[in-house]
Amino acid sequence: PILSLLPGQIAFLPSLVLAARLCPPGIEAVLFATLMSIFNGASTVGTEIGAALTKFLGVTETCFSNLALLTIICNVSSLLPLFFIGYLDGVGDESQEEMEAKQLDGNE
């Protein structure tokens, strides 16, 4: 089980790096906990939707008549987040040094 979870965790790292760059100082732990809660909740919801879709299409351990359609739906739905990438324009453009310099300038 560990080897199957490892690629998913590695794929999640860019999201954590982006969140860390955007996070105001002092609330990193809260942001991490929130992201993990959302990630785990989305995983649970995804599993339940997949199970409901499997039941709806009638795919069982003996009937595979709609398995191709189920596979297509699942694979296409995994591409849906790509449509939201445009909302991230300009997010994370500042380096850590630039953000720290802004904070220091604001505190003086």
Side-chain angles (χ1 to χ4, degrees):
I2 293 174
L3 292 178
S4 64
L5 295 175
L6 187 62
Q9 295 299 319
I10 290 173
F12 192 53
L13 280 176
S15 299
L16 292 175
V17 170
L18 179 63
R21 291 183 72 188
L22 296 174
C23 181
I27 63 164
E28 293 90 352
V30 173
L31 182 69
F32 179 76
T34 303
L35 283 175
M36 288 290 93
S37 295
I38 292 169
F39 182 71
N40 291 333
S43 177
T44 302
V45 169
T47 299
E48 295 301 318
I49 290 173
L53 190 58
T54 302
K55 184 175 181 178
F56 176 76
L57 292 175
V59 177
T60 64
E61 57 192 26
T62 58
C63 178
F64 303 114
S65 59
N66 289 327
L67 183 61
L69 178 60
L70 177 65
T71 304
I72 290 169
I73 291 171
C74 289
N75 286 319
V76 169
S77 68
S78 68
L79 299 175
L80 288 176
L82 294 176
F83 294 110
F84 299 101
I85 287 179
Y87 292 109
L88 296 176
D89 287 346
V91 173
D93 284 344
E94 287 185 67
S95 69
Q96 184 69 29
E97 291 79 21
E98 291 171 334
M99 290 189 291
E100 289 173 359
K102 275 187 180 180
Q103 279 187 330
L104 289 176
D105 291 342
N107 291 337
E108 294 175 359

